[in-house]
Amino acid sequence: DAGITQSPRHKVTETGTPVTLRCHQTENHRYMYWYRQDPGHGLRLIHYSYGVKDTDKGEVSDGYSVSRSKTEDFLLTLESATSSQTSVYFCAISDGLAGHNEQFFGPGTRLTVL
Amino acid sequence: EDQVTQSPEALRLQEGESSSLNCSYTVSGLRGLFWYRQDPGKGPEFLFTLYSAGEEKEKERLKATLTKKESFLHITAPKPEDSATYLCAVRLGGSQGNLIFGKGTKLSVKP
């Protein structure tokens, strides 16, 4: 298994509170991604990073921010959580080298916003 | 609009009953098609990458094929442990390796 951990694995929080999810990798891969997965939808990209301090928005970025201060860590922050952000969040990594475009996923974080 | 559609949404098979899952896509500048397996409560597990029409990849009872408009995941003589949701994703041209995922096919194999 690719060395990817996510923390916390489960979290219950209240509407309006800030939440930060952490993704940590030990593979030294350049690219890191945050997705959310909801019933009736495929995995949807929230934000991604193509290097330290280099990030960009994905398909569903509203209400989320990210930071990457080290190669191994990618943080996802919900500044003020809403019930619509209840979801399972997955982090993924990719080395992005030619012929190696596959992404490897972490175990996920189940977030419930009450 | 770039789109990935998987069919069927769910498939129930008897052990040993071979079948195929479909992934059709309407994207410009395809730069790879990916198959993943996802077990309940876990992250997607990478299976295959296909890059060009006519390409095939195999792993145990699974074989993935690619045409210009769709990909098939063929499952030969499935076993109950093949039960999972299978996800298809395409990588767009001109992006930073971003993927668009289909909604998946949930496969159940009964003994």
Side-chain angles (χ1 to χ4, degrees):
Chain A
D1 291 343
I4 311 170
T5 57
Q6 294 184 231
S7 58
R9 294 293 314 281
H10 301 271
K11 186 170 182 67
V12 179
T13 191
E14 295 188 350
T15 298
T17 60
V19 176
T20 296
L21 308 183
R22 178 180 183 240
C23 177
H24 179 77
Q25 61 145 330
T26 58
E27 305 295 324
N28 200 36
H29 281 1
R30 177 183 175 189
Y31 293 89
M32 299 186 75
Y33 308 84
W34 277 108
Y35 291 89
R36 62 178 289 173
Q37 187 174 43
D38 305 288
H41 292 88
L43 284 157
R44 293 180 291 174
L45 183 65
I46 304 171
H47 281 280
Y48 63 98
S49 169
Y50 46 97
V52 173
K53 297 186 179 179
D54 292 324
T55 65
D56 206 346
K57 296 179 180 180
E59 176 189 358
V60 290
S61 60
D62 287 349
Y64 302 95
S65 62
V66 291
S67 65
R68 192 171 178 198
S69 59
K70 298 185 290 185
T71 298
E72 57 266 34
D73 290 324
F74 193 31
L75 304 180
L76 177 70
T77 297
L78 291 66
E79 300 291 347
S80 178
T82 68
S83 58
S84 64
Q85 294 176 311
T86 292
S87 187
V88 181
Y89 292 86
F90 289 100
C91 173
I93 64 174
S94 173
D95 66 14
L97 299 175
H100 295 275
N101 297 312
E102 59 271 16
Q103 296 181 15
F104 298 96
F105 284 80
T109 294
R110 182 173 294 275
L111 177 67
T112 302
V113 183
L114 301 177
Chain B
E1 180 185 355
D2 298 321
Q3 200 166 8
V4 178
T5 303
Q6 292 188 246
S7 62
E9 290 185 14
L11 182 62
R12 298 168 67 96
L13 299 174
Q14 288 297 125
E15 185 172 2
E17 179 187 2
S18 301
S19 188
S20 297
L21 313 182
N22 178 263
C23 172
S24 63
Y25 57 91
T26 53
V27 300
S28 56
L30 178 73
R31 293 180 64 188
L33 185 142
F34 303 81
W35 283 98
Y36 288 85
R37 169 191 171 128
Q38 187 174 24
D39 294 298
K42 298 195 174 181
E45 174 190 349
F46 171 72
L47 293 174
F48 304 111
T49 309
L50 301 167
Y51 287 104
S52 55
E55 189 174 359
E56 298 183 353
K57 294 276 181 71
E58 284 190 67
K59 180 181 180 179
E60 296 181 354
R61 295 176 292 283
L62 301 177
K63 184 169 81 170
T65 62
L66 182 65
T67 72
K68 288 186 178 180
K69 291 296 182 184
E70 59 191 349
S71 176
F72 291 94
L73 185 65
H74 307 276
I75 304 176
T76 302
K79 298 182 178 182
E81 54 261 42
D82 295 321
S83 297
T85 296
Y86 291 86
L87 305 176
C88 168
V90 298
R91 181 171 184 248
L92 303 179
S95 70
Q96 297 274 8
N98 295 346
L99 303 182
I100 296 179
F101 280 83
K103 296 179 182 180
T105 293
K106 184 175 182 180
L107 175 66
S108 298
V109 183
K110 302 300 181 184

